[in-house]
Amino acid sequence: MSSPLKVRIRTVLKNAGSLQNGVDALPDDADLHAAGLTSHATVSLMLALEEMFDIEFPDRLLGRLTFSSIDAIARALIEIGVQDEAA
Amino acid sequence: MSPWLAAARAVGAEIAARHADDVDLRARFPAEAVTGLRDRQLLGLLVPSTEGGAGAGIADVVSICHELGRYCASTAMVYAMHQIQVACIVRHAGHNPWQRAFLRRLADGQLLLASATSEAGAAGDVRSSICALDEKRGRFTLVKQAPVISYGEESDAILVTARRTAQSPPSDQVIVVVPRSGVELQPQETWNTLGMRGTCSRGYRLTAEGEMSQVIPVPYADVSAQTMLPVSHLVWGALWLGIATDALGRARAFVRAEAKKRPGETPLGAARLAVAVNELQTMKSNLLACLRLYEAAIGSVDGPSAISLAVAMNNLKLGSSQSVVKIVGEAMLICGLAGYRNDSPFSLGRHLRDAHSAAVMVSNDRISANNATLALALRDDLEPLA
Ligand SMILES: Cc1cc2nc3c(=O)[nH]c(=O)nc-3n(C[C@H](O)[C@H](O)[C@H](O)COP(=O)(O)OP(=O)(O)OC[C@H]3O[C@@H](n4cnc5c(N)ncnc54)[C@H](O)[C@@H]3O)c2cc1C
């Protein structure tokens, strides 16, 4: 069972990730870049995550690695103080 | 001056300069100059000493491109594109034994590397591929419609981008090193262009095969962001600076000759020359600042973020591709008819035509559009000035 945080990340990813084959079938550790997340879509995803969680990613977390999987996004969000709980 | 730069200057002044007009006129490969660079071991410069190379850095290559650009822009562009490919392998080969052995071969044989990143159908968007690797039992085959492969026929190996598998989305790319023995090039498009005629950037249907270990072991997205994009814009910026420097050199010689004819009078062109010198200074400063930024990025974990680096390098490309056209145009006005003639010591036609390739070589509009997206993610620059 996905954590509440990851459920919320999936919601954002569905709207902003522009992934051809959707998000539902992707495991939390699936490589999002291999699933078709382009660099352009990464920026949209980042902005949508900032809006959803009311945070700002620091410069050092703006690399490709941060957005490489749902797990990686969750780790980054927790690192900058987001709580793993439902909205 | 490093011995490498001195050797490059000799090749530029003594060989490339002599053949530049013929290379341009006949749109032929600058074979004499490239042989000169090869003979002086300048092709394997970036290969680490552990693999038998000179272990030089990007700054050395940047200064050589600038030097060559003063004499023959096509030669400089061939050298620049080759070094971009070498830089990608050096930085991303990791411990892959095939790649390490290839670097050794490159240094021993001073191999010349070409690039097939552009693809028909994907237009100029090099971060998206149509063709894909077809893998079977550790080997791959690949077919790519490549609209432009500079000096493909003269090269010893080609770096080709493709989707990772036939199921992968267009953005999930890899880059693979294919020695010429594993490549078949069916000519499709000729290279009869306004400028950069000596790069012989013909179009081909490329068929390649090899072992999977020839695939650079990190995603092309990383190779592109960390090395190919920044290094391209640095070496291109350097050779465009070389074109602009030589054009202004001709304009300066013209103005000085005028001044000597009429002592005590400031020639008409002097004021324009002063403005163009200012533009050249800006172009050079921008290049050097971006070179330092790139060196900081590869040298430490605290270097600039991926996004600020990309924006800076994109701006370098946009800025210098515009400056070079502007400066050569100013030089033309300063020299007047003498610059406009194709047969005077002040001729600037080749410079101007070569300079116009800069905005087209990865479309400036495409780069501006990428920067517009990146601007949304860019953070305030809090770096202290000094
Ligand atoms: C001298 C030279 C040597 C080259 N050598 C090689 C080589 O060895 N290997 C290789 O692979 N490639 C090579 N190239 C190709 C180069 O890398 C580019 O791919 C190519 O110049 C772009 O082609 P294009 O203008 O047809 O495509 P595009 O980039 O698609 O541009 C076409 C037009 O569409 C517009 N446009 C496109 N996308 C956008 C966008 N997102 N936003 C706004 N406007 C847009 C552009 O402004 C332009 O007017 C070379 C090019 C040159 C000039």
Side-chain angles (χ1 to χ4, degrees):
Chain A
M1 186 56 209
S2 233
S3 70
L5 178 63
K6 288 176 191 173
V7 172
R8 294 175 73 196
I9 294 172
R10 278 176 183 278
T11 310
V12 178
L13 194 56
K14 260 181 220 168
N15 297 323
S18 317
L19 297 182
Q20 264 171 20
N21 297 324
V23 178
D24 293 338
L26 286 178
D28 288 344
D29 63 352
D31 181 339
L32 296 177
H33 300 293
L37 187 69
T38 63
S39 51
H40 187 97
T42 305
V43 173
S44 310
L45 176 62
M46 178 212 81
L47 292 172
L49 288 164
E50 291 192 343
E51 175 70 17
M52 163 77 104
F53 295 101
D54 194 21
I55 43 108
E56 195 162 300
F57 286 98
D59 210 24
R60 74 192 150 78
L61 286 179
L62 290 183
R64 212 169 159 266
L65 224 50
T66 300
F67 305 95
S68 60
S69 66
I70 291 169
D71 282 339
I73 295 170
R75 269 195 303 276
L77 288 173
I78 287 169
E79 188 185 325
I80 51 180
V82 173
Q83 305 292 320
D84 192 352
E85 59 196 23
Chain B
M1 192 189 300
S2 76
W4 302 318
L5 187 58
R9 178 168 287 184
V11 172
E14 290 156 27
I15 308 176
R18 183 147 35 95
H19 299 284
D21 284 330
D22 185 61
V23 162
D24 177 54
L25 186 71
R26 292 166 50 205
R28 69 162 178 88
F29 184 66
E32 303 87 344
V34 173
T35 302
L37 294 166
R38 178 177 273 142
D39 289 348
R40 286 164 185 77
Q41 311 279 306
L42 294 175
L43 296 185
L45 213 56
L46 287 174
V47 176
S49 50
T50 45
E51 264 72 36
I58 294 299
D60 297 297
V61 169
V62 162
S63 56
I64 291 176
C65 289
H66 171 234
E67 197 63 34
L68 295 174
R70 294 172 52 202
Y71 302 103
C72 170
S74 286
T75 300
M77 185 51 91
V78 170
Y79 187 74
M81 288 194 279
H82 160 77
Q83 295 297 7
I84 297 164
Q85 314 312 311
V86 180
C88 290
I89 307 177
V90 167
R91 178 109 185 263
H92 302 286
H95 297 296
N96 176 320
W98 190 94
Q99 309 277 349
R100 302 244 66 105
F102 181 78
L103 283 175
R104 191 165 282 282
R105 274 166 65 196
L106 199 164
D108 286 348
Q110 293 290 303
L111 305 185
L112 181 66
L113 309 190
S115 142
T117 49
S118 309
E119 183 168 19
D125 180 11
V126 290
R127 281 293 289 103
S128 137
S129 284
I130 296 168
C131 69
L133 287 189
D134 186 7
E135 181 188 353
K136 279 193 193 78
R137 291 181 294 278
R139 294 189 62 80
F140 72 85
T141 53
L142 167 68
V143 180
K144 183 165 188 167
Q145 295 291 343
V148 247
I149 304 181
S150 296
Y151 56 94
E153 285 158 60
E154 289 79 8
S155 69
D156 301 302
I158 306 181
L159 270 70
V160 191
T161 49
R163 284 183 297 134
R164 182 181 304 279
T165 69
Q167 286 73 45
S168 306
S171 60
D172 186 23
Q173 298 164 289
V174 292
I175 183 162
V176 50
V177 183
V178 198
R180 278 303 303 283
S181 57
V183 177
E184 195 195 319
L185 293 177
Q186 273 174 275
Q188 299 207 308
E189 197 136 22
T190 55
W191 182 250
N192 182 5
T193 49
L194 186 66
M196 287 293 179
R197 294 168 57 81
T199 59
C200 300
S201 312
R202 298 181 198 112
Y204 303 92
R205 179 177 190 271
L206 176 151
T207 316
E209 59 169 359
E211 33 182 293
M212 284 305 286
S213 53
Q214 289 168 229
V215 177
I216 291 188
V218 298
Y220 177 62
D222 291 334
V223 177
S224 171
Q226 293 166 20
T227 308
M228 192 176 270
L229 186 136
V231 172
S232 296
H233 295 172
L234 288 169
V235 294
W236 294 349
L239 79 92
W240 298 334
L241 183 70
I243 298 175
T245 303
D246 188 57
L248 265 203
R250 291 178 188 216
R252 185 176 299 109
F254 183 86
V255 172
R256 286 166 62 96
E258 290 291 297
K260 283 177 192 162
K261 275 189 232 159
R262 293 182 203 80
E265 270 180 52
T266 306
L268 201 57
R272 191 175 289 280
L273 179 65
V275 174
V277 167
N278 185 352
E279 179 89 25
L280 189 75
Q281 180 182 331
T282 305
M283 192 179 173
K284 184 174 178 179
S285 308
N286 197 5
L287 173 66
L288 291 175
C290 286
L291 177 60
R292 298 292 163 257
L293 201 63
Y294 180 68
E295 287 176 328
I298 51 178
S300 84
V301 281
D302 302 326
S305 78
I307 288 177
S308 51
L309 183 72
V311 170
M313 295 298 153
N314 285 344
N315 284 336
L316 171 66
K317 198 283 183 175
L318 294 171
S320 30
S321 62
Q322 290 163 21
S323 292
V324 63
V325 172
K326 205 155 131 197
I327 291 168
V328 178
E330 295 294 303
M332 179 89 81
L333 269 174
I334 293 165
C335 297
L337 195 54
Y340 194 67
R341 286 184 196 283
N342 277 334
D343 53 2
S344 101
F346 304 104
S347 297
L348 289 160
R350 174 162 52 82
H351 298 69
L352 191 63
R353 288 182 291 101
D354 288 340
H356 273 292
S357 71
V360 174
M361 190 164 190
V362 182
S363 159
N364 274 8
D365 285 354
R366 190 179 281 284
I367 294 178
S368 294
N370 286 345
N371 260 2
T373 305
L374 291 172
L376 300 173
L378 194 63
R379 301 294 183 238
D380 293 341
D381 184 359
L382 303 175
E383 192 70 18
L385 202 51

